[in-house]
Amino acid sequence: MSGKIYALIDTLSLFLQLGTGLVVKTLGLGSLLIAIPLLISIPVTASTFIANFLTHATAKVTSKTLDYSLFRASKELLYLPLNYAAKTRAKAFIDMFGYRFAKGGASLVLLFVLADANSKERAYVILSGLALWIWLSILLKREHQNALS
């Protein structure tokens, strides 16, 4: 089953990668940055309240598919308005430290906060994280628009 799930993730990611230019052109980068956590929040919320294999698999496929395609492309597009020096320094810092600290922080939340939590508490933490991601995406969209103007 794991192989089938990752085959689906890879297939969907490939199609989204091929269509990334059209998606960015249609939605705009800022709207895409907000759409990604909104799209992920649907199956994640469903799997939070309806805990079965199908909802968890759907959340995994949606999350990884968007991560491997639209999210990575949109993340790279954020560097375009920066000058060369800022672009290389910011990208290096974010890739080396920011990404790893964020993953480490998320792992600690999973390990310590959610390990002993009941399903209702887990749902609140997960939904709070999604709301924070959406809010930060809205702020990022504003900052990116200001940088372009």
Side-chain angles (χ1 to χ4, degrees), residues 44-132:
V44 168
T45 302
S47 72
T48 302
F49 293 106
I50 306 167
N52 62 36
F53 178 78
L54 182 61
T55 58
H56 291 315
T58 303
K60 173 87 169 179
V61 168
T62 304
S63 171
K64 290 299 180 187
T65 298
L66 291 173
D67 180 31
Y68 296 157
S69 58
L70 296 176
F71 182 71
R72 290 189 186 192
S74 60
K75 182 180 70 167
E76 295 299 321
L77 290 172
L78 289 172
Y79 295 109
L80 288 178
L82 302 175
N83 64 43
Y84 180 76
K87 190 182 304 186
T88 55
R89 287 186 193 127
K91 184 163 177 30
F93 180 80
I94 290 169
D95 288 348
M96 287 191 306
F97 296 107
Y99 184 70
R100 281 161 183 76
F101 280 121
K103 286 189 87 158
S107 296
L108 289 175
V109 167
L110 291 172
L111 184 63
F112 294 113
V113 176
L114 297 181
D116 294 327
N118 64 40
S119 60
K120 192 174 188 179
E121 291 168 337
R122 269 190 230 119
Y124 291 136
V125 171
I126 291 168
L127 295 175
S128 297
L130 285 166
L132 176 64

Side-chain angles (χ1 to χ4, degrees), residues 1-13 60-61 64-65 68:
M1 186 53 70
S2 179
K4 291 179 182 180
I5 289 173
Y6 275 98
L8 181 60
I9 290 169
D10 291 340
T11 303
L12 293 173
S13 295
K60 173 87 169 179
V61 168
K64 290 299 180 187
T65 298
Y68 296 157

Side-chain angles (χ1 to χ4, degrees), residues 26-43:
T26 303
L27 291 179
L29 180 59
S31 296
L32 179 58
L33 290 170
I34 296 168
I36 291 169
L38 286 173
L39 289 170
I40 291 173
S41 70
I42 296 166

